[in-house]
Amino acid sequence: ACRGACCTCATAGLRSNPTAGGFGPRHPIGGSLDTAQALFDQGQRLLGEGKVDDALIAFNSLLNRQFDAPELLYLVADCLIKKGWNGAAINLLGVALQQRPEFSEAWNNLGVAFRHENFHNFARAAWDKALALGETVEVLSNMATLSADMGDPDDAIKWCDRAIKKDPTHWQSYWNKALAELTQRHWGVGWDLYENRRKLRHFVEREAIKAPQWGGERTGHLYLHGEQGVGDEVMFTSILPEVIARCDRVTVEAHKK
């Protein structure tokens, strides 16, 4: 299963008013600072809707007028990470951090970009910087995924526990801990934690019919469908004989691939 790194939300810790403090164009866009605010709000809205390309247009329009604003560099980099353009994002975040070394959200996203390209040592260094500026659940969770990537599930669990202690509703950390426990064949606690996947923001049930969840008991007709990637679903189908033995009839919805 894929463990996702947590980008810091583009609005977290940032000024929402692009004219406040050091953020916002020195020169009004289109002759009006209201236009700058509108572009900023539009970019945030589009990014929240997953329209990354459109958000980039809005943020770059602002960046054209204030090319050295670290917050704008951060927002553009956030879009680039979501597009998988991690090298460009790393360079933009580097410039932003030269101007504002205490920008913890930028350190976090720098680590995310490095991890996406398997530069694990650079990712850890960036997240160490972020933690030194203040512990956040996103960075703690990211440290857990990094430890898992590097084959150290015990360390991953420790980071997950710290993240969960800080935010008991951070479901990504429960999911990461589940995978780490399963890696160590801790089946009971691992599968219990695995159920938290349903609470992940981007989790899709892929239900074709409405029916109660099965608890493993003897049943008449069972409808079985996938909810993971193809590789995971192939792995899970290996236990089909055990499932069939507990049902009078089984209908399997196979992945289109």
Side-chain angles (χ1 to χ4, degrees):
C2 178
R3 303 175 180 88
C6 300
C7 276
T8 304
C9 175
T11 59
L14 300 183
R15 306 179 184 95
S16 60
N17 180 357
T19 64
F23 187 27
R26 296 189 182 93
H27 308 292
I29 298 176
S32 170
L33 287 174
D34 290 338
T35 306
Q37 178 70 63
L39 276 171
F40 178 81
D41 293 343
Q42 181 186 49
Q44 295 280 39
R45 175 180 57 78
L46 291 167
L47 194 56
E49 294 172 356
K51 299 176 181 177
V52 179
D53 289 331
D54 293 331
L56 264 175
I57 292 172
F59 292 141
N60 272 306
S61 295
L62 287 169
L63 192 63
N64 287 342
R65 274 70 175 184
Q66 192 172 346
F67 53 84
D68 59 348
E71 292 88 350
L72 286 174
L73 292 167
Y74 167 84
L75 287 167
V76 172
D78 189 44
C79 292
L80 297 180
I81 290 172
K82 288 177 169 61
K83 289 176 67 67
W85 297 353
N86 295 297
I90 287 166
N91 281 278
L92 287 177
L93 290 166
V95 174
L97 287 164
Q98 284 179 351
Q99 298 179 64
R100 189 176 155 195
E102 76 286 359
F103 198 166
S104 61
E105 294 89 354
W107 282 114
N108 179 60
N109 283 14
L110 180 63
V112 171
F114 277 132
R115 178 184 172 250
H116 284 332
E117 301 305 326
N118 296 317
F119 292 111
H120 292 155
N121 290 336
F122 289 140
R124 183 177 293 278
W127 288 332
D128 281 339
K129 287 278 192 180
L131 288 173
L133 292 166
E135 193 172 277
T136 68
V137 69
E138 290 85 6
V139 181
L140 293 172
S141 180
N142 287 339
M143 282 293 207
T145 65
L146 185 64
S147 293
D149 285 348
M150 300 180 74
D152 191 346
D154 285 326
D155 195 54
I157 289 169
K158 291 176 184 177
W159 286 109
C160 288
D161 286 339
R162 285 177 64 178
I164 292 167
K165 182 178 180 181
K166 191 165 189 67
D167 180 1
T169 64
H170 193 254
W171 307 118
Q172 183 69 49
S173 292
Y174 289 93
W175 167 250
N176 290 339
K177 185 176 180 180
L179 299 179
E181 295 284 8
L182 291 171
T183 298
Q184 299 190 92
R185 298 175 179 268
H186 299 162
W187 308 124
V189 65
W191 287 122
D192 285 344
L193 288 166
Y194 192 81
E195 288 302 306
N196 288 288
R197 73 195 185 283
R198 302 180 185 278
K199 301 173 184 176
L200 295 175
R201 184 173 56 177
H202 300 299
F203 178 75
V204 179
E205 289 275 5
R206 281 171 43 193
E207 288 182 327
I209 64 170
K210 290 294 181 182
Q213 291 292 317
W214 185 50
E217 68 280 2
R218 179 76 194 178
T219 191
H221 187 185
L222 179 68
Y223 176 78
L224 197 64
H225 67 93
E227 60 180 32
Q228 304 287 327
V230 178
D232 285 336
E233 292 186 17
V234 169
M235 177 182 68
F236 285 132
T237 56
S238 66
I239 63 169
L240 262 178
E242 297 177 46
V243 173
I244 292 171
R246 301 186 184 193
C247 308
D248 296 331
R249 178 185 175 193
V250 177
T251 299
V252 179
E253 177 193 323
H255 198 288
K256 290 181 180 180
K257 293 185 178 180

